[in-house]
């Protein structure tokens, strides 16, 4: 899918008119129509902001990937995972700990 197809598909998934989608994207209905027709492309900053608002990756929006979202862990989540691993290692029995 191309950017125009992705924008139209996402807008339709959300059951939004071009006008309402434009409000979400902080642009006019006419701008959304231009995007969907392929007559214009948004700026890099607008694409990044759209990806954030729609919870999709920029590559997905641009049609470069079919993977919809970036599965990035938040720093808090990474800290929780690290603490969990450390706790499990500390609770290992001595033979397992010595093998580690």
């Amino acid at each position: 899918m191309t950017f125009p197809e992705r924008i139209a598909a996402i807008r339709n998934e959300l059951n939004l008119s071009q006008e309402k989608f434009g409000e979400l994207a902080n642009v006019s209905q006419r701008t959304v129509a231009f995007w969907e027709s392929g007559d214009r492309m948004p700026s890099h900053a607008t694409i990044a902001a759209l990806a954030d608002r729609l919870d999709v990756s920029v590559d997905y929006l641009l049609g470069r990937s079919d993977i919809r979202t970036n599965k990035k862990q938040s720093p808090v989540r990474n800290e929780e995972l690290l603490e969990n691993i450390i706790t499990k290692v500390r609770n290992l029995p001595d033979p397992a700990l010595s093998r580690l």
Side-chain angles (χ1 to χ4, degrees), residues 73-90:
Q73 297 278 339
S74 70
V76 172
R77 180 72 178 133
N78 286 337
E79 287 177 18
E80 291 172 10
L81 291 172
L82 181 59
E83 287 177 23
N84 190 9
I85 290 169
I86 291 170
T87 300
K88 286 182 179 183
V89 168
R90 285 185 180 149

Side-chain angles (χ1 to χ4, degrees), residues 2-9 35-41 61:
T2 63
F3 176 79
E5 293 168 327
R6 287 279 159 102
I7 288 296
W35 293 347
E36 290 184 2
S37 68
D39 289 336
R40 296 210 180 126
M41 283 289 288
L61 273 184

